Amino acid sequence: MKLKVLSKIISVLVLAGCGTSATRIENPERLESNGQYQNLFPSHYIGNGPHHINDDLDLLKPEEKKVIERAFLDPLPSHKYSKSHGYEFSNLVYSDINIDANKQGELTWLGHASFLIQQMNNDALVTDPVFHEFDDFLGWLGQQLSSSFVRLGEAPVKADKLPFVSGVLISHDHFDHLSSTTLNTFSENTHLYLPLDNSDDADYSSGPITEMDWYTQTQHNKTKIHFLPSNHNSSRGMFDADKSLWGSWMLNDGEYKVYFAGDTGYSDVFKDIREKVGAMDVCLMPIVAYHEGKRRVHMSPEDAIQAAEDLGCKIFVPWGYGTWTLGCEHVHEPLRRLDLAIKQSKPNFSVKTLKMGESLNYHKLLSSIEGKAAKNVGI
């Protein structure tokens, strides 16, 4: 059944406790979750690895190695290196940030999983904005027990600089992707798009809410928004594992498809996405928190490259590094490993690495790529 048919089943719910109405878009071809969601495809990685030759490489410089004791909630084993020693947050902040409501065909990295996406049709949306420390009790408690849950620096761009944004997309309910504190700083009537059963976690009161199932779509102003699967999980507390859905997003402005992967491990889900909705123009891909058992639900740089190949991406933009140290790796490792993986695999797409607050005009880049391709075939 085509996506336009799948998206026709829409119901309106009143969320208990907050009185906010949310539109719920379900996929009638998907089986009932029975209160707990599951990934569509099994991970390619089981156990603690290693799964790639690069897993055994030491990518740290001697001066970046500082042995520390393990914090109570830190994913590092005992007596390992600090994950941020030798890292300067300010070095990853762009020196000439230019937020302009009139930009078209351009995206700006706002740190971690957050991007401002300004499309050719003038619609502007933001992914997974978390511009503050983790909110909620468990988020606060984690910060007291481990520095891994404390920001390494203040967000260089916050919602008050984005009054023209009309929509926010959330991939799942983990604290580094869903912040009610941040959401409620956006302009009034900003439309919030969530995976199914995430509304209670959002505690959002500034605008309309739409919850979406995998392989459904809706219209946001001039943009078609698709909610797509990923290989991950969800939880906000100790007893709600996988009670809410997770996933990825694709924005189609009629000229370009911009794909935001959210947190995900590598599986056949990317081939399935391409088969159902076609190849992507721009792919925003995570490259952090991939060591040992975390590889099932996060991607190494090598995994992210393969996923982008599966999706038929033309531009690859990595994210996840530099804001928190939530994985086992040092903050400098992901980009160094990505650079190595690119040299090893020579992928068939353009890779653009950004600093926080830095913008990329994907319209100009894609036009250039298409122009070169046409010239090469003699058109």
Side-chain angles (χ1 to χ4, degrees), residues 83-132:
K83 295 183 289 183
S84 59
H85 184 66
Y87 167 67
E88 291 291 338
F89 183 85
S90 60
N91 290 340
L92 197 60
V93 177
Y94 194 58
S95 60
D96 189 21
I97 298 175
N98 178 25
I99 302 299
D100 183 350
N102 297 313
K103 289 181 177 179
Q104 291 181 307
E106 194 154 325
L107 60 85
T108 304
W109 186 40
L110 306 178
H112 197 54
S114 186
F115 287 88
L116 165 64
I117 304 170
Q118 295 176 263
Q119 300 179 104
M120 298 298 291
N121 58 18
N122 294 310
D123 284 342
L125 297 98
V126 169
T127 65
D128 287 2
V130 182
F131 302 151
H132 304 79

Short mmCIF file of all heavy atoms in Angstrom, two decimals, residues 83-132:
data_model
loop_
_atom_site.label_atom_id
_atom_site.label_comp_id
_atom_site.label_asym_id
_atom_site.label_seq_id
_atom_site.Cartn_x
_atom_site.Cartn_y
_atom_site.Cartn_z
N LYS A 83 37.37 10.92 28.62
CA LYS A 83 36.79 10.99 27.27
C LYS A 83 36.81 12.40 26.70
O LYS A 83 36.42 12.60 25.54
CB LYS A 83 35.36 10.47 27.31
CG LYS A 83 35.27 8.99 27.66
CD LYS A 83 33.84 8.48 27.61
CE LYS A 83 33.02 9.02 28.76
NZ LYS A 83 31.63 8.48 28.77
N SER A 84 37.30 13.37 27.47
CA SER A 84 37.31 14.75 26.97
C SER A 84 38.63 15.47 27.23
O SER A 84 38.75 16.65 26.89
CB SER A 84 36.16 15.55 27.59
OG SER A 84 36.28 15.57 29.00
N HIS A 85 39.61 14.80 27.81
CA HIS A 85 40.89 15.45 28.08
C HIS A 85 41.55 15.89 26.77
O HIS A 85 41.63 15.11 25.81
CB HIS A 85 41.83 14.48 28.82
CG HIS A 85 43.13 15.11 29.22
ND1 HIS A 85 43.21 16.12 30.15
CD2 HIS A 85 44.40 14.87 28.80
CE1 HIS A 85 44.47 16.46 30.31
NE2 HIS A 85 45.22 15.73 29.50
N GLY A 86 41.97 17.15 26.71
CA GLY A 86 42.58 17.67 25.49
C GLY A 86 41.58 18.22 24.48
O GLY A 86 41.98 18.65 23.40
N TYR A 87 40.31 18.23 24.84
CA TYR A 87 39.27 18.75 23.94
C TYR A 87 38.83 20.13 24.41
O TYR A 87 38.56 20.33 25.60
CB TYR A 87 38.07 17.81 23.93
CG TYR A 87 36.82 18.38 23.29
CD1 TYR A 87 36.77 18.65 21.93
CD2 TYR A 87 35.68 18.64 24.05
CE1 TYR A 87 35.64 19.17 21.34
CE2 TYR A 87 34.53 19.16 23.47
CZ TYR A 87 34.51 19.42 22.11
OH TYR A 87 33.37 19.93 21.52
N GLU A 88 38.77 21.08 23.48
CA GLU A 88 38.28 22.42 23.76
C GLU A 88 36.97 22.64 23.02
O GLU A 88 36.94 22.67 21.79
CB GLU A 88 39.31 23.47 23.32
CG GLU A 88 40.58 23.50 24.15
CD GLU A 88 40.34 24.00 25.57
OE1 GLU A 88 39.32 24.71 25.79
OE2 GLU A 88 41.15 23.66 26.45
N PHE A 89 35.89 22.78 23.77
CA PHE A 89 34.57 22.95 23.17
C PHE A 89 34.55 24.14 22.21
O PHE A 89 33.95 24.06 21.12
CB PHE A 89 33.53 23.15 24.28
CG PHE A 89 32.12 23.27 23.78
CD1 PHE A 89 31.34 22.14 23.55
CD2 PHE A 89 31.53 24.51 23.55
CE1 PHE A 89 30.03 22.24 23.10
CE2 PHE A 89 30.22 24.63 23.10
CZ PHE A 89 29.47 23.48 22.88
N SER A 90 35.20 25.22 22.58
CA SER A 90 35.16 26.44 21.75
C SER A 90 35.77 26.21 20.37
O SER A 90 35.41 26.90 19.41
CB SER A 90 35.90 27.58 22.46
OG SER A 90 37.25 27.23 22.71
N ASN A 91 36.67 25.23 20.25
CA ASN A 91 37.28 24.94 18.95
C ASN A 91 36.30 24.32 17.96
O ASN A 91 36.55 24.30 16.76
CB ASN A 91 38.49 24.03 19.12
CG ASN A 91 39.66 24.72 19.80
OD1 ASN A 91 39.73 25.95 19.83
ND2 ASN A 91 40.56 23.93 20.36
N LEU A 92 35.20 23.79 18.50
CA LEU A 92 34.20 23.16 17.64
C LEU A 92 33.01 24.08 17.38
O LEU A 92 32.03 23.70 16.77
CB LEU A 92 33.72 21.84 18.26
CG LEU A 92 33.00 20.87 17.33
CD1 LEU A 92 33.89 20.45 16.17
CD2 LEU A 92 32.54 19.62 18.09
N VAL A 93 33.10 25.32 17.87
CA VAL A 93 32.05 26.31 17.62
C VAL A 93 32.48 27.21 16.47
O VAL A 93 33.59 27.75 16.47
CB VAL A 93 31.78 27.16 18.88
CG1 VAL A 93 30.74 28.24 18.59
CG2 VAL A 93 31.28 26.26 20.02
N TYR A 94 31.62 27.36 15.49
CA TYR A 94 31.93 28.16 14.31
C TYR A 94 32.11 29.62 14.70
O TYR A 94 31.37 30.17 15.53
CB TYR A 94 30.81 28.01 13.29
CG TYR A 94 31.14 28.52 11.91
CD1 TYR A 94 32.23 28.01 11.21
CD2 TYR A 94 30.37 29.50 11.31
CE1 TYR A 94 32.53 28.46 9.93
CE2 TYR A 94 30.65 29.96 10.02
CZ TYR A 94 31.75 29.43 9.35
OH TYR A 94 32.05 29.89 8.09
N SER A 95 33.10 30.27 14.11
CA SER A 95 33.47 31.63 14.52
C SER A 95 32.56 32.70 13.94
O SER A 95 32.55 33.83 14.43
CB SER A 95 34.92 31.92 14.11
OG SER A 95 35.07 31.79 12.70
N ASP A 96 31.79 32.38 12.91
CA ASP A 96 30.97 33.39 12.24
C ASP A 96 29.56 32.85 12.00
O ASP A 96 29.12 32.70 10.86
CB ASP A 96 31.64 33.80 10.92
CG ASP A 96 30.96 35.00 10.26
OD1 ASP A 96 30.25 35.75 10.98
OD2 ASP A 96 31.10 35.18 9.04
N ILE A 97 28.85 32.59 13.08
CA ILE A 97 27.49 32.03 12.97
C ILE A 97 26.55 33.05 12.36
O ILE A 97 26.49 34.20 12.79
CB ILE A 97 26.99 31.60 14.37
CG1 ILE A 97 27.89 30.50 14.94
CG2 ILE A 97 25.53 31.11 14.29
CD1 ILE A 97 27.55 30.10 16.35
N ASN A 98 25.81 32.62 11.35
CA ASN A 98 24.91 33.52 10.62
C ASN A 98 23.54 32.87 10.49
O ASN A 98 23.30 32.10 9.55
CB ASN A 98 25.49 33.86 9.25
CG ASN A 98 24.57 34.75 8.43
OD1 ASN A 98 23.75 35.48 8.99
ND2 ASN A 98 24.69 34.69 7.12
N ILE A 99 22.66 33.15 11.43
CA ILE A 99 21.29 32.65 11.38
C ILE A 99 20.44 33.67 10.65
O ILE A 99 20.31 34.81 11.08
CB ILE A 99 20.73 32.39 12.80
CG1 ILE A 99 21.62 31.40 13.56
CG2 ILE A 99 19.30 31.89 12.72
CD1 ILE A 99 21.72 30.04 12.93
N ASP A 100 19.86 33.26 9.53
CA ASP A 100 19.11 34.18 8.67
C ASP A 100 17.84 33.49 8.20
O ASP A 100 17.88 32.44 7.57
CB ASP A 100 19.97 34.58 7.46
CG ASP A 100 19.30 35.58 6.54
OD1 ASP A 100 18.09 35.85 6.71
OD2 ASP A 100 19.98 36.10 5.63
N ALA A 101 16.70 34.08 8.51
CA ALA A 101 15.41 33.48 8.17
C ALA A 101 15.20 33.35 6.67
O ALA A 101 14.35 32.57 6.24
CB ALA A 101 14.28 34.31 8.78
N ASN A 102 15.95 34.07 5.87
CA ASN A 102 15.73 34.09 4.43
C ASN A 102 16.55 33.05 3.67
O ASN A 102 16.46 32.98 2.44
CB ASN A 102 16.05 35.49 3.88
CG ASN A 102 15.13 36.55 4.45
OD1 ASN A 102 13.92 36.37 4.48
ND2 ASN A 102 15.70 37.65 4.92
N LYS A 103 17.34 32.26 4.36
CA LYS A 103 18.14 31.24 3.68
C LYS A 103 17.23 30.16 3.08
O LYS A 103 16.19 29.83 3.64
CB LYS A 103 19.12 30.58 4.65
CG LYS A 103 20.26 31.49 5.09
CD LYS A 103 21.20 30.74 6.03
CE LYS A 103 22.39 31.58 6.42
NZ LYS A 103 23.29 30.87 7.36
N GLN A 104 17.67 29.60 1.96
CA GLN A 104 16.94 28.51 1.31
C GLN A 104 17.93 27.41 0.92
O GLN A 104 19.06 27.69 0.51
CB GLN A 104 16.23 29.00 0.05
CG GLN A 104 15.06 29.93 0.31
CD GLN A 104 14.39 30.36 -0.98
OE1 GLN A 104 15.03 30.86 -1.90
NE2 GLN A 104 13.09 30.17 -1.06
N GLY A 105 17.51 26.16 1.05
CA GLY A 105 18.37 25.06 0.68
C GLY A 105 19.63 25.01 1.52
O GLY A 105 20.71 24.72 1.02
N GLU A 106 19.46 25.26 2.80
CA GLU A 106 20.62 25.35 3.68
C GLU A 106 20.31 24.70 5.03
O GLU A 106 19.18 24.74 5.52
CB GLU A 106 21.01 26.82 3.89
CG GLU A 106 22.38 27.02 4.50
CD GLU A 106 22.99 28.38 4.11
OE1 GLU A 106 22.75 28.83 2.98
OE2 GLU A 106 23.69 28.95 4.95
N LEU A 107 21.32 24.08 5.63
CA LEU A 107 21.17 23.52 6.96
C LEU A 107 22.29 24.02 7.86
O LEU A 107 23.39 24.35 7.38
CB LEU A 107 21.13 21.99 6.93
CG LEU A 107 22.31 21.21 6.37
CD1 LEU A 107 23.40 20.99 7.41
CD2 LEU A 107 21.83 19.87 5.81
N THR A 108 22.00 24.10 9.16
CA THR A 108 22.97 24.57 10.15
C THR A 108 23.01 23.57 11.28
O THR A 108 21.96 23.19 11.82
CB THR A 108 22.57 25.96 10.70
OG1 THR A 108 22.45 26.88 9.62
CG2 THR A 108 23.62 26.47 11.68
N TRP A 109 24.21 23.12 11.64
CA TRP A 109 24.35 22.19 12.76
C TRP A 109 24.31 22.99 14.06
O TRP A 109 25.09 23.92 14.26
CB TRP A 109 25.65 21.40 12.66
CG TRP A 109 25.77 20.32 13.70
CD1 TRP A 109 24.79 19.49 14.14
CD2 TRP A 109 26.95 19.97 14.44
NE1 TRP A 109 25.28 18.63 15.10
CE2 TRP A 109 26.60 18.90 15.30
CE3 TRP A 109 28.26 20.44 14.44
CZ2 TRP A 109 27.51 18.31 16.17
CZ3 TRP A 109 29.17 19.85 15.29
CH2 TRP A 109 28.81 18.79 16.15
N LEU A 110 23.41 22.60 14.97
CA LEU A 110 23.23 23.29 16.24
C LEU A 110 23.84 22.53 17.41
O LEU A 110 23.65 22.91 18.55
CB LEU A 110 21.73 23.52 16.49
CG LEU A 110 20.97 24.22 15.37
CD1 LEU A 110 19.49 24.35 15.72
CD2 LEU A 110 21.58 25.60 15.08
N GLY A 111 24.59 21.46 17.12
CA GLY A 111 25.21 20.65 18.16
C GLY A 111 24.47 19.34 18.35
O GLY A 111 23.26 19.24 18.17
N HIS A 112 25.22 18.29 18.69
CA HIS A 112 24.72 16.93 18.92
C HIS A 112 23.82 16.49 17.77
O HIS A 112 24.28 16.36 16.65
CB HIS A 112 24.03 16.83 20.26
CG HIS A 112 23.85 15.42 20.74
ND1 HIS A 112 24.92 14.56 20.84
CD2 HIS A 112 22.75 14.70 21.09
CE1 HIS A 112 24.50 13.37 21.26
NE2 HIS A 112 23.19 13.43 21.41
N ALA A 113 22.52 16.26 18.02
CA ALA A 113 21.62 15.76 16.99
C ALA A 113 20.72 16.84 16.41
O ALA A 113 19.77 16.54 15.69
CB ALA A 113 20.75 14.64 17.56
N SER A 114 21.02 18.09 16.70
CA SER A 114 20.12 19.18 16.32
C SER A 114 20.61 19.91 15.07
O SER A 114 21.75 20.37 15.00
CB SER A 114 19.98 20.17 17.47
OG SER A 114 19.02 21.15 17.17
N PHE A 115 19.71 20.01 14.09
CA PHE A 115 19.98 20.75 12.86
C PHE A 115 18.82 21.71 12.58
O PHE A 115 17.64 21.35 12.77
CB PHE A 115 20.10 19.81 11.66
CG PHE A 115 21.38 19.02 11.62
CD1 PHE A 115 21.47 17.80 12.27
CD2 PHE A 115 22.48 19.49 10.92
CE1 PHE A 115 22.64 17.06 12.23
CE2 PHE A 115 23.66 18.76 10.87
CZ PHE A 115 23.75 17.54 11.53
N LEU A 116 19.16 22.87 12.11
CA LEU A 116 18.19 23.78 11.51
C LEU A 116 18.18 23.49 10.01
O LEU A 116 19.24 23.56 9.36
CB LEU A 116 18.58 25.24 11.76
CG LEU A 116 17.88 26.31 10.91
CD1 LEU A 116 16.39 26.34 11.21
CD2 LEU A 116 18.53 27.67 11.15
N ILE A 117 17.03 23.13 9.46
CA ILE A 117 16.91 22.79 8.05
C ILE A 117 15.99 23.83 7.39
O ILE A 117 14.80 23.90 7.70
CB ILE A 117 16.34 21.37 7.86
CG1 ILE A 117 17.21 20.35 8.59
CG2 ILE A 117 16.26 21.03 6.37
CD1 ILE A 117 16.61 18.96 8.66
N GLN A 118 16.56 24.64 6.50
CA GLN A 118 15.81 25.69 5.80
C GLN A 118 15.69 25.28 4.33
O GLN A 118 16.66 25.26 3.60
CB GLN A 118 16.52 27.03 5.93
CG GLN A 118 16.56 27.53 7.38
CD GLN A 118 17.35 28.81 7.55
OE1 GLN A 118 18.52 28.78 7.91
NE2 GLN A 118 16.72 29.94 7.27
N GLN A 119 14.48 24.96 3.94
CA GLN A 119 14.26 24.33 2.65
C GLN A 119 14.02 25.34 1.53
O GLN A 119 13.88 26.53 1.77
CB GLN A 119 13.10 23.35 2.78
CG GLN A 119 13.40 22.27 3.83
CD GLN A 119 12.26 21.32 3.99
OE1 GLN A 119 12.30 20.20 3.50
NE2 GLN A 119 11.20 21.77 4.66
N MET A 120 13.97 24.81 0.32
CA MET A 120 13.79 25.66 -0.85
C MET A 120 12.44 26.36 -0.86
O MET A 120 12.26 27.39 -1.50
CB MET A 120 13.96 24.83 -2.13
CG MET A 120 15.34 24.20 -2.29
SD MET A 120 16.65 25.42 -2.42
CE MET A 120 16.27 26.14 -4.02
N ASN A 121 11.47 25.81 -0.14
CA ASN A 121 10.12 26.38 -0.13
C ASN A 121 9.90 27.32 1.06
O ASN A 121 8.77 27.69 1.37
CB ASN A 121 9.08 25.26 -0.10
CG ASN A 121 9.26 24.34 1.10
OD1 ASN A 121 9.93 24.68 2.08
ND2 ASN A 121 8.67 23.15 1.04
N ASN A 122 10.98 27.68 1.77
CA ASN A 122 10.97 28.61 2.91
C ASN A 122 10.48 27.99 4.21
O ASN A 122 10.41 28.69 5.23
CB ASN A 122 10.15 29.88 2.61
CG ASN A 122 10.77 30.72 1.51
OD1 ASN A 122 11.96 31.03 1.57
ND2 ASN A 122 9.98 31.05 0.50
N ASP A 123 10.15 26.70 4.24
CA ASP A 123 9.84 26.05 5.50
C ASP A 123 11.14 25.83 6.28
O ASP A 123 12.16 25.43 5.71
CB ASP A 123 9.17 24.70 5.26
CG ASP A 123 7.71 24.84 4.86
OD1 ASP A 123 7.14 25.92 5.09
OD2 ASP A 123 7.15 23.87 4.31
N ALA A 124 11.10 26.07 7.59
CA ALA A 124 12.27 25.87 8.44
C ALA A 124 11.88 24.98 9.62
O ALA A 124 10.93 25.29 10.35
CB ALA A 124 12.79 27.21 8.95
N LEU A 125 12.61 23.87 9.79
CA LEU A 125 12.36 22.94 10.88
C LEU A 125 13.66 22.61 11.59
O LEU A 125 14.75 22.76 11.04
CB LEU A 125 11.70 21.66 10.37
CG LEU A 125 10.32 21.83 9.72
CD1 LEU A 125 10.45 21.87 8.21
CD2 LEU A 125 9.37 20.71 10.14
N VAL A 126 13.53 22.14 12.83
CA VAL A 126 14.69 21.78 13.66
C VAL A 126 14.53 20.35 14.14
O VAL A 126 13.44 19.93 14.51
CB VAL A 126 14.83 22.74 14.86
CG1 VAL A 126 15.87 22.23 15.85
CG2 VAL A 126 15.23 24.14 14.39
N THR A 127 15.64 19.61 14.14
CA THR A 127 15.64 18.24 14.66
C THR A 127 16.19 18.19 16.08
O THR A 127 17.15 18.89 16.40
CB THR A 127 16.50 17.32 13.77
OG1 THR A 127 17.89 17.73 13.86
CG2 THR A 127 16.06 17.36 12.33
N ASP A 128 15.60 17.38 16.91
CA ASP A 128 16.09 17.01 18.25
C ASP A 128 16.80 18.13 19.01
O ASP A 128 17.96 17.99 19.43
CB ASP A 128 17.04 15.82 18.12
CG ASP A 128 16.31 14.52 17.82
OD1 ASP A 128 15.08 14.54 17.67
OD2 ASP A 128 16.98 13.48 17.73
N PRO A 129 16.15 19.27 19.23
CA PRO A 129 16.84 20.36 19.93
C PRO A 129 16.95 20.11 21.44
O PRO A 129 15.95 19.90 22.12
CB PRO A 129 15.94 21.57 19.65
CG PRO A 129 14.57 20.98 19.49
CD PRO A 129 14.78 19.64 18.83
N VAL A 130 18.17 20.11 21.95
CA VAL A 130 18.44 20.06 23.38
C VAL A 130 19.50 21.13 23.65
O VAL A 130 20.69 20.87 23.51
CB VAL A 130 18.92 18.68 23.85
CG1 VAL A 130 19.14 18.67 25.36
CG2 VAL A 130 17.91 17.59 23.47
N PHE A 131 19.04 22.32 24.00
CA PHE A 131 19.94 23.46 24.17
C PHE A 131 20.28 23.72 25.64
O PHE A 131 20.94 24.71 25.94
CB PHE A 131 19.31 24.71 23.56
CG PHE A 131 18.98 24.57 22.09
CD1 PHE A 131 17.93 25.29 21.54
CD2 PHE A 131 19.72 23.74 21.26
CE1 PHE A 131 17.63 25.18 20.18
CE2 PHE A 131 19.42 23.61 19.91
CZ PHE A 131 18.37 24.34 19.37
N HIS A 132 19.80 22.84 26.52
CA HIS A 132 20.02 22.99 27.95
C HIS A 132 20.63 21.70 28.50
O HIS A 132 20.88 20.76 27.76
CB HIS A 132 18.70 23.31 28.67
CG HIS A 132 18.00 24.52 28.15
ND1 HIS A 132 17.25 24.51 26.99
CD2 HIS A 132 17.94 25.79 28.61
CE1 HIS A 132 16.75 25.72 26.76
NE2 HIS A 132 17.15 26.50 27.73
#
